[in-house]
Amino acid sequence: LFLSTITTKLINRYLKREKEIMDYLKIILLVFTHKLGNFLSLQRVNLELLKNKYGSSKALKRMEEGYTLMEKNFFQLLSAVKNLGKEEEVETVNLKELLEHLLTHFSSVLRDKEVRVYLKEVHTRMKKSDAENLLFFLLDNAVKYSSSKIWIRLGKIKEKPYFSHLTVENYLEGPA
């Protein structure tokens, strides 16, 4: 009885300490994301000032597209941080609909690339926010690291869902 009481107290102390550390880390992440959000807002203002002073050049349009993508990345990350540790129910997620929705976030940077998309109806059971974060960051990497072509495929093999993306670089053009 004495050992079980001590063990219970040690476990409770450990769990309390772990929760305190988790809460502290979440606060640090929220402070960091707040500061990053302020920085991004300042960059938006600077970009608008540049557009007013120099007009709408090709370079400024590229800067604005890069900024917009970074801002979307930031809000996706902020959403993940805010939901850290929250209980979310596992549900049936339509991956095709989710991918189609997420592809609209990348429309401005995808218009300069050859994009082939093959999506079949795929449903899986998982937390929707996890699926959205995972697919968003996979698409983000595909966009970032491809110079000319992106192929995206979603389907099933032996009744198991798969997602693949392939970035094809154009090595004949040389460095950018």
Side-chain angles (χ1 to χ4, degrees), residues 95 99 103 115-120 122 134-135 138-139 142 150-157 160-167:
L95 294 179
L99 264 171
L103 282 168
V115 180
R116 295 183 186 174
V117 180
Y118 307 98
L119 303 177
K120 292 187 178 175
V122 175
L134 179 68
L135 292 174
L138 286 171
L139 288 173
I150 301 173
W151 298 340
I152 298 168
R153 181 170 292 236
L154 174 70
K156 287 185 176 184
I157 297 177
K160 300 218 184 236
Y162 75 88
F163 169 76
S164 67
H165 74 290
L166 174 68
T167 58

Side-chain angles (χ1 to χ4, degrees), residues 45-112:
V45 170
N46 288 339
L47 190 58
E48 291 300 320
L49 290 173
L50 285 172
K51 281 171 49 179
N52 287 338
K53 186 172 184 176
Y54 297 107
S56 188
S57 71
K58 201 172 186 180
L60 280 174
K61 283 182 183 176
R62 280 196 312 269
M63 285 175 65
E64 188 170 25
E65 288 172 358
Y67 172 83
T68 301
L69 193 57
M70 177 57 141
E71 193 175 51
K72 287 176 182 172
N73 261 316
F74 169 73
F75 285 117
Q76 193 73 26
L77 183 62
L78 183 62
S79 171
V81 168
K82 283 183 177 177
N83 291 325
L84 192 65
K86 285 187 180 174
E87 285 297 317
E88 185 181 349
E89 288 191 31
V90 172
E91 61 183 282
T92 301
V93 178
N94 184 334
L95 294 179
K96 179 182 177 188
E97 282 180 7
L98 190 54
L99 264 171
E100 287 170 342
H101 170 71
L102 289 173
L103 282 168
T104 63
H105 289 289
F106 296 95
S107 60
S108 64
V109 289
L110 289 176
R111 73 172 162 250
D112 297 333

